[in-house]
Amino acid sequence: MDMSRKSSHTSRKPGRKPLTRDMLLPLPVAKVRAMSLEHHLALAAMHSGRGSVEQMNVLLKVTYLTYFMADAAHESVDLDLFRAAETAFECCGLRGHRDGNWTLPTADHDVLARILALHDRQLGSMPSWRYTEAWARIHAFLRSDAQSPLPAPACA
C-alpha cells in the first residue's frame, strides 16, 4: 500500500463538513424569486406608509445578510450605504414606536432599494453555502451585545 498519498480526509480542515453539490450551486430560482418578492414587498409597504415592525425586520435582516455575504466573498462594499441603511432603520424605528408611523422617506427607500438590488444579484450567483453562512453570522450577531455588525468608521 502506498502511504505517500494523503487521504482526502486529511487535507480537509478539521470539523468542517465537505460541501455538497447543492451547497456549491446558487439557491433554486423559485426560492430566490420568492425571497426577492418578500423583500421588495416589504420595501414597498414601508415606502407607501403601510409598513410595520415586521417589514422593517425583513429589511434589516436582508441588509445584514447582504453585508455578510459580500464580506465573506471578499467583495468590496460601500460601507456608507450600509451605515445609511442603519440610520434609516433607527429613524424608522423611533417614528414607529413613537407614533406607529412605520414609513421610509424616499431617500431611505432609495438606499434600501440599492441594497436589495445587490442582494438579488448575490442570491442569483453566489453558492448557497454563502447564504447559510451569512444566516449563521446574523444569529451570532443577535446573540452578541454589539449594536451593529458593521466595522466602526475610521477616525479622520
Side-chain angles (χ1 to χ4, degrees), residues 11-131:
S11 63
R12 275 188 276 149
K13 291 182 181 180
R16 184 161 190 172
K17 294 180 182 179
L19 297 174
T20 65
R21 177 182 176 274
D22 287 341
M23 294 168 78
L24 294 170
L25 294 172
L27 293 168
V29 172
K31 182 175 176 88
V32 169
R33 285 184 183 151
M35 289 188 311
S36 180
L37 180 61
E38 177 189 14
H39 303 154
H40 288 275
L41 286 175
L43 181 60
M46 296 293 291
H47 188 57
S48 70
R50 291 180 174 82
S52 69
V53 69
E54 288 81 14
Q55 279 91 19
M56 190 177 91
N57 284 335
V58 166
L59 295 173
L60 184 62
K61 286 176 189 173
V62 76
T63 296
Y64 289 145
L65 276 170
T66 305
Y67 170 73
F68 287 142
M69 288 174 73
D71 183 56
H74 304 291
E75 290 181 338
S76 63
V77 292
D78 180 0
L79 285 174
D80 290 336
L81 179 68
F82 288 90
R83 289 188 181 110
E86 283 186 327
T87 301
F89 291 130
E90 185 176 339
C91 293
C92 181
L94 290 172
R95 279 190 307 274
H97 288 297
R98 184 184 64 232
D99 42 306
N101 186 10
W102 296 93
T103 61
L104 289 171
T106 299
D108 294 343
H109 169 273
D110 294 347
V111 165
L112 293 170
R114 288 178 54 199
I115 290 173
L116 291 185
L118 173 57
H119 191 62
D120 287 344
R121 286 191 303 274
Q122 288 174 330
L123 291 176
S125 63
M126 284 190 176
S128 63
W129 68 268
R130 290 243 189 251
Y131 179 80

